């Protein structure tokens, strides 16, 4: 069986998550390639020490250029602050490596376009990270929409909600400073998760009105002082999308770090003239379907989902998946597509979808700044 060697740049939280998924690769049944972690780069030696326990890792370095030019690496997974995406992603691609990059694939629209241009010029396989759609519930949502059983679509809602920033005494980090996470703020952190399925279904906003909020603007700096937290905490985007039949319907997108009571809640709801479907990770096993009953007594029905994932594993079907499982499913989708064996299954965020998400974020900034509804095509001409 073919083996693909992977290097990780950024050995923190998401790097460890990726390493864990590679370490459990044998849990995937009849997967077309073997994938193993061989190299890790982080500027912090202490972070690198954790990876010494992984027997397949033979290169630990603080110099990312050593990793990307190593013959030990075929593919790079990278999780670093947003302002570093453009330079590092381009260096990886120009070094002849394929790429799975963390969202938002650049600090802004211009950066995302430049990264995509280099990937295309170099002929490299590049995708953007987005795990949540690989839960069984979102997969069922996609299937139901594609089946046509919902009738004519009436409205769509999707979002990703956190409450971690509700504590005003939480020390600042790079995600709360625009110099590192970009002017788009929370949209860069959570936005692609909310947009992944809508964009895959062809629901790219044509116009939008954005309400952006900076709620907590100062935080402890961890050194006894106070630092400016100048990013958008919450974003609510009211958009219009065009269906295949030419009709225009509303789609509401929410990306929030100050959503009371929400730990890590991803959700989607699609309503149609003949049915509806909704899912939220707040109740990870529950899929809700709407029965219009031909205009008689109507109802919402709950179905308990099991371990129904795109890439079969050794896990029993009655069990519920967690984040490590769907992260591995996302990685499986990446490597299956890279081998040309995705076979119609749901794939990772494409270059085109990453750019489309940034076009939405750029339009949202323009909408909020001018307090108006904007047409995307008029607001995204960024060089």
């Amino acid at each position: 069986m073919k083996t693909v060697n992977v290097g990780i740049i950024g050995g923190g939280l998401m790097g460890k998550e990726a390493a864990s998924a590679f370490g459990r690769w044998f849990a995937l049944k009849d997967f077309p390639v073997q994938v193993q972690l061989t190299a890790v780069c982080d500027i912090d030696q202490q972070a690198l020490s954790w990876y010494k326990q992984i027997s397949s890792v033979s290169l630990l370095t603080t110099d990312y250029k050593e990793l990307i030019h190593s013959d030990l690496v075929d593919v790079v997974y990278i999780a670093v602050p947003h302002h570093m995406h453009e330079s590092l992603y381009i260096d990886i691609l120009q070094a002849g490596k394929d790429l799975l990059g963390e969202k938002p694939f650049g600090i802004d629209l211009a950066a995302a376009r430049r990264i995509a241009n280099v990937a295309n010029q170099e002929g490299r396989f590049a995708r953007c990270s987005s795990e949540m759609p690989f839960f069984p519930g979102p997969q069922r949502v996609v299937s139901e929409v594609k089946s046509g059983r919902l009738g004519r679509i009436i409205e769509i809602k999707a979002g990703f909600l956190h409450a971690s920033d509700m504590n005003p005494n939480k020390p600042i980090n790079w995600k709360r400073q625009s110099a590192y996470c970009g002017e788009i703020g929370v949209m860069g952190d959570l936005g692609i998760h909310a947009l992944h399925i809508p964009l895959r279904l062809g629901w790219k906003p044509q116009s939008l009105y954005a309400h952006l909020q900076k709620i907590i603007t100062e935080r402890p700096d961890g050194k006894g002082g106070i630092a400016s937290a100048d990013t958008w905490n919450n974003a609510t985007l009211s958009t219009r999308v065009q269906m295949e039949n030419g009709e225009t319907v509303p789609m509401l997108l929410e990306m929030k770090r100050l959503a009371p009571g929400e730990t890590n809640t991803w959700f989607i709801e699609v309503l149609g003239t003949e049915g509806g479907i909704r899912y939220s990770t707040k109740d990870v096993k529950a899929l809700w379907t709407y029965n219009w009953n031909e205009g008689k007594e109507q109802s919402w029905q709950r179905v308990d989902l099991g371990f129904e994932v795109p890439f079969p594993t050794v896990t029993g079907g009655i069990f519920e998946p967690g984040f490590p499982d769907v992260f591995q499913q996302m990685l499986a989708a990446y490597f299956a597509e890279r081998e040309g064996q995705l076979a119609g299954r749901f794939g990772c965020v494409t270059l085109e979808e990453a750019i489309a998400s940034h076009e939405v974020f750029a339009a949202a900034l323009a909408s909020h700044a001018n307090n108006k509804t904007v047409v995307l095509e008029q607001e995204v001409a960024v060089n």
Side-chain angles (χ1 to χ4, degrees):
M1 179 183 290
K2 177 181 177 180
T3 297
V4 179
N5 296 323
V6 181
I8 290 174
I9 300 177
L13 177 67
M14 300 312 297
K16 290 182 174 67
E17 198 68 56
S20 172
F22 295 135
R24 296 179 291 111
W25 206 255
F26 54 79
L28 294 165
K29 295 172 64 175
D30 303 319
F31 197 77
V33 295
Q34 177 64 37
V35 179
Q36 65 176 2
L37 179 63
T38 55
V40 182
C41 172
D42 197 284
I43 60 174
D44 183 357
Q45 286 281 4
Q46 186 174 356
L48 288 176
S49 65
W50 184 86
Y51 293 88
K52 292 179 180 179
Q53 65 187 306
I54 303 173
S55 61
S56 61
V57 174
S58 54
L59 174 62
L60 294 172
T61 179
T62 58
D63 181 359
Y64 79 92
K65 291 186 178 180
E66 182 181 7
L67 184 148
I68 67 176
H69 291 291
S70 171
D71 293 336
L72 296 169
V73 175
D74 304 309
V75 173
V76 176
Y77 168 74
I78 178 167
V80 295
H82 303 169
H83 72 295
M84 301 171 66
H85 284 190
E86 182 179 355
S87 61
L88 269 65
Y89 288 16
I90 287 175
D91 281 354
I92 291 165
L93 296 165
Q94 290 180 336
K97 308 301 184 185
D98 289 339
L99 168 69
L100 177 58
E102 271 296 335
K103 39 72 184 171
F105 232 68
I107 201 167
D108 56 23
L109 174 58
R113 286 177 172 167
R114 287 191 288 266
I115 294 167
N117 285 340
V118 172
N120 291 327
Q121 290 166 5
E122 298 291 330
R124 306 314 311 178
F125 182 72
R127 292 291 184 266
C128 180
S129 174
S130 171
E131 310 87 2
M132 311 310 282
F134 290 92
F135 274 103
Q139 296 288 308
R140 289 281 290 272
V141 171
V142 171
S143 296
E144 282 297 298
V145 171
K146 288 183 174 180
S147 75
R149 287 189 288 267
L150 304 185
R152 290 160 50 199
I153 302 301
I154 298 172
E155 67 178 37
I156 307 142
K157 297 177 183 177
F160 205 4
L161 310 177
H162 287 190
S164 59
D165 281 10
M166 293 296 295
N167 178 8
N169 296 316
K170 177 183 176 181
I172 200 165
N173 63 19
W174 66 266
K175 286 189 177 183
R176 280 74 185 167
Q177 297 176 297
S178 61
Y180 306 106
C181 73
E183 188 182 356
I184 57 178
V186 67
M187 293 183 288
D189 189 25
L190 304 181
I192 193 62
H193 297 295
L195 278 162
H196 190 176
I197 285 179
L199 290 175
R200 184 60 51 87
L201 291 171
W203 299 338
K204 180 181 177 182
Q206 293 185 317
S207 64
L208 64 79
Y209 180 85
H211 190 89
L212 310 180
Q213 296 173 279
K214 292 182 180 179
I215 302 167
I216 297 178
T217 58
E218 292 183 332
R219 289 191 174 276
D221 63 4
K223 304 174 184 178
I226 296 295
S228 172
D230 61 348
T231 58
W232 300 110
N233 299 132
N234 288 3
T236 304
L237 313 184
S238 180
T239 79
R240 290 161 58 90
V241 297
Q242 190 172 53
M243 300 290 108
E244 289 185 356
N245 61 8
E247 293 182 341
T248 301
V249 304
M251 178 168 71
L252 183 68
L253 302 170
E254 295 183 74
M255 308 129 199
K256 298 178 178 178
R257 289 202 191 104
L258 274 78
E262 307 292 351
T263 298
N264 194 58
T265 302
W266 182 98
F267 68 90
I268 188 166
E269 177 179 274
V270 185
L271 302 179
T273 56
E274 298 176 25
I277 192 162
R278 64 188 182 203
Y279 175 81
S280 169
T281 57
K282 185 176 281 291
D283 192 352
V284 71
K285 294 182 67 173
L287 179 73
W288 292 90
T289 57
Y290 166 70
N291 177 19
W292 78 294
N293 196 23
E294 298 183 347
K296 300 173 186 176
E297 190 173 70
Q298 302 168 55
S299 63
W300 279 94
Q301 175 181 340
R302 173 189 167 124
V303 175
D304 262 15
L305 300 174
F307 206 85
E308 304 164 13
V309 288
F311 295 89
T313 73
V314 297
T315 306
I318 65 170
F319 300 113
E320 63 272 14
F323 183 80
D325 299 300
V326 296
F327 194 94
Q328 185 180 55
Q329 288 290 310
M330 177 194 70
L331 293 175
Y334 174 88
F335 287 100
E337 187 175 7
R338 183 176 181 268
E339 295 299 315
Q341 299 194 43
L342 192 58
R345 285 170 288 207
F346 195 87
C348 297
V349 174
T350 64
L351 294 173
E352 294 77 15
E353 290 166 343
I355 290 172
S357 71
H358 269 290
E359 289 174 346
V360 171
F361 307 152
L365 292 176
S367 169
H368 185 84
N370 298 301
N371 192 26
K372 69 173 186 179
T373 298
V374 301
V375 177
L376 266 74
E377 289 78 4
Q378 299 174 353
E379 299 292 343
V380 296
V382 178
N383 295 323

